[in-house]
Structure formats: structure tokens, C-alpha cells
Amino acid sequence: MDRRERLIARARQGYRLAYGAEPSRFFAAPGRVNLIGEHVDYNDGFVLPCAIDREAIVALGPADKDAAVPLFEAVALDMGDMARARDSFDLASPIVPSENNWQNHVRGVVQALGRDGYRVKPARIAIAGDVPIGAGLSSSAAFGVAVALACSDYSELDLSAETLARVAQRAENDFVGCACGIMDQMASAASVADNALLLDCRSLQHMPIPIHPSLAITVIDTGLRRNLTESAFNERRAQCEAAAAHFGLTALRDLDFATLEAAQTSLDRTLYRRARHVVGEIERVEPVAVALTQGDTALLAEVMREAHLSLSADFEVSLPPIDRLAGLIGEALGDAGGVRLTGAGFGGCLVAVSTHDAGIAIDEAVARYNAAADLPARAETFRPVRGAAPIMLG
């Protein structure tokens, strides 16, 4: 069996163990890696992620017909033993947050659909995934979008990718407590195979950007983990909002460098640095899109190096071990590709976009880093894949 077949088998087996029945449908939503445009989505800017061949899979079947009330039941197969990884809630009563984040992703999705006037049918689901949790590859977005797609399909709602993404984002914002933007969910819902997704986070207009066949996307997992709802992520968003308010703007997307530089003396220094990252990062999206289509690794090296330095110095979401690893990989790659922190930061992963044969240089740099590291890093190459979709089994 290949990777996906094993994951489907695990979801099927988990469903059987939880409910004593066979699931009737399967749905998948991928994780994502962001190539450029970090901490830009909640500032209404432009981003360039792509979906990766790691995903969350939902096995679904009808609700218990003997239940006294219309129940929605869920089991998360990656969240510990079966007793702690189960949840159920009454669809006829107000849906309220629970103690566990994974439960709140499910409850939040169903609650958001109901708030928008959609009727979700009672059902049973089992969720299994292979997106690394806490690594900055959007395991939570894959989870939420997969649940939203399963609810939409089973309840015959026929929701668009944009609506699925909005629903999953609201679940994360309102029920989980993470003030994330829309990028992760849109990448999971709307990506096109072999392409990155150029996304306007204000309008949700998006288009596929072909990734040149000479390029490989490598994710280097640092082994350092973070929990966004307990990290400084929400603080960074508040700082960006404060900086935008200083200029009388809705979001930092509308700020230009000239206006920002002119306000250095009147703007709090921390807010200035946060805004400088966002304004610069938005400007870096277009050259990376061009470099991806043309296979221009020298341009990728230059722009991704700038992006990492900005995330480390101005936005302060990197860590010394991550900076060291990025430096080693960047030095090893030279003009054969670029590397930078990806995801929200405070741990997680680096992403490198390089020629295929540069994988050896990346592996050697990671080995040098691991020789003195407390936690070993690990490099893996991913394919850009399509967004969320039902799984058609033969």
C-alpha cells in the first residue's frame, strides 16, 4: 500500500472500532507549505502557498438511528486512546466549545455552518492524518477543511472551496482560539496539483502559479514544536492591527514603505518592525511567483534569504537553532535555491525551493546541524497536490 492507501485503511479501521460499522464515504484535505508571504494573510495581503502530499482523511457514515437526539459523533485517531479521542454533540442544541482543540475544530465547523443557515445532517466521522502536528504545515487547517467538506458533501450543501475555507477559519478563530488568517484553509481547499496558489487574502481571488519542473520543494522539520494558541501568534496579530490603526488603515496591506519610513519617529519601534516585515513580505510575493514559473533558483535564493532575515529580526518568530539551520542550508545551496522559515514560527519547519539535485546539499547541511543539535532535524521532499476533495474508491 502507498501512503494514502495506508491512511485510508487507518481511517476505516478507526471508524469500525469506534462505531462497529463500515464508513460509507471518505474525504481528504491536504496540509500546505507556504513558499512566501508569512504573517501576511491576516494583514489582507498576498501569499503564495502550495498544498503538499500529506493530508487529513475523514471516514464518514450515517448517525446512530437509535439515538434519542440528532447526534454528530467524531473520533480523532491521532489524539490518544479511543476514550479521550471521542466527542459527540446534539445538533438540536446550541453547540459550545469543549476542552480539547481537536473537538473544537469539529464543533466549530458544524456551528459555523449552522450560523450561516446550512443544515448539517447527523453523522459519525473518524479522522486520521499524516500532516505533522505543530510543524507549521497546517495540520489544523487540513483537519478543519476535511471536516467541512465531509459535512458539505453528506448534507448536500455543495459548498465552494472559498466557503469551506471560511468555515474552517471561523472554527479556528472562534472555537479553538487562534486568530489565524485565511491562507492555510484556502491552500488546503483550493490548490491545484503541480502549482502554487497565489491568493489575495482580502478578496479571496486566487490563481494557480505553475512550479517549474526543474524545482523541488523540500521541508526541513526542525523538531521544535509550538502551540499557536499558547504562543505569541495572537500578540503579533494585535501588533499588526495596532500599526495599521496608527496610519488609519484597515490593514497593513494598504501601507507603503515611504509612508512607513516617514513615521519612524512617531511609531512605536516594535510596531514599526512588525509593519516593516509585512510590507516587505508582500512585495516579495511577486518575484517568488516569477522565479517559480521560470525555475530561477538564484532569485529564489536572494528573496527567500531576505524573507527569513525579516521573520527573524523584524517579526521575531524564529529561534537561534532555526536561524543556524537556515544559514547552513542557504550556504550549502548557494544559487541553487532558497530557504526560509515557513509557517507561523516559534518552531516548526524551514522550506527550501531548489533544483532537484540540490537535495544532497540540503541533506549534508542538515547532518552538520544535527551533529550539534539537541533535537535532530529531518528533510523531506513534497509534491504540490490538489486541494480538498472526496475520495473515490474503486
Side-chain angles (χ1 to χ4, degrees), residues 35-61:
L35 305 179
I36 200 72
E38 218 63 76
H39 289 276
V40 164
D41 58 345
Y42 56 82
N43 288 292
D44 283 358
F46 295 87
V47 295
L48 192 65
C50 74
I52 58 173
D53 53 340
R54 297 295 182 273
E55 59 198 335
I57 287 182
V58 173
L60 179 146

Side-chain angles (χ1 to χ4, degrees), residues 133 156 210 237 249 289 304 309 335 392:
I133 296 173
E156 300 178 330
R237 179 164 186 164
L249 301 173
M304 293 177 76
L309 290 173
D335 285 342
M392 304 302 175

Side-chain angles (χ1 to χ4, degrees), residues 13-205:
Q13 180 66 10
Y15 188 97
R16 289 170 177 162
L17 291 173
Y19 307 119
E22 286 286 331
S24 57
R25 309 183 192 194
F26 293 86
F27 306 89
R32 69 95 188 93
V33 61
N34 190 24
L35 305 179
I36 200 72
E38 218 63 76
H39 289 276
V40 164
D41 58 345
Y42 56 82
N43 288 292
D44 283 358
F46 295 87
V47 295
L48 192 65
C50 74
I52 58 173
D53 53 340
R54 297 295 182 273
E55 59 198 335
I57 287 182
V58 173
L60 179 146
D64 180 2
K65 64 180 184 301
D66 297 323
V69 295
L71 289 178
F72 195 98
E73 297 182 74
V75 56
L77 302 174
D78 303 310
M79 298 299 166
D81 64 73
M82 194 68 75
R84 288 180 296 176
R86 297 190 68 159
D87 191 28
S88 66
F89 49 94
D90 180 359
L91 293 178
S93 300
I95 300 172
V96 297
S98 182
E99 297 178 354
N100 299 317
N101 281 349
W102 81 261
Q103 293 173 337
N104 288 329
H105 280 288
V106 177
R107 292 183 179 212
V109 163
V110 176
Q111 193 263 3
L113 287 169
R115 200 169 68 189
D116 287 347
Y118 298 111
R119 181 179 175 273
V120 175
K121 293 180 181 178
R124 289 167 158 173
I125 63 172
I127 311 111
D130 60 2
V131 186
I133 296 173
L137 298 178
S138 295
S139 59
S140 59
F143 190 106
V145 171
V147 172
L149 175 62
C151 290
S152 171
D153 187 276
Y154 185 63
S155 302
E156 300 178 330
L157 304 179
D158 194 27
L159 300 180
S160 67
E162 293 84 354
T163 301
L164 295 175
R166 287 287 195 200
V167 164
Q169 181 201 20
R170 291 216 310 271
E172 196 152 353
N173 291 171
D174 300 343
F175 267 56
V176 179
C178 178
C180 65
I182 192 64
M183 174 185 66
D184 297 351
Q185 292 81 7
M186 277 295 293
S188 183
S191 286
V192 175
D194 300 319
N195 286 257
L197 185 75
L198 179 59
L199 170 66
D200 180 339
C201 295
R202 174 171 286 169
S203 68
L204 293 194
Q205 290 184 332

Side-chain angles (χ1 to χ4, degrees), residues 301-368:
E302 176 185 351
V303 179
M304 293 177 76
R305 184 184 308 113
E306 290 176 1
H308 183 85
L309 290 173
S310 180
L311 284 165
S312 179
D314 277 350
F315 223 68
E316 296 182 285
V317 294
S318 189
L319 298 170
I322 295 176
D323 290 341
R324 178 172 176 269
L325 180 56
L328 289 170
I329 295 172
E331 182 181 355
L333 285 175
D335 285 342
V339 62
R340 70 170 190 90
L341 179 65
T342 187
F346 314 106
C349 293
L350 297 168
V351 61
V353 185
S354 67
T355 58
H356 286 277
D357 58 7
I360 296 172
I362 294 173
D363 289 340
E364 290 175 348
V366 171
R368 288 197 298 274

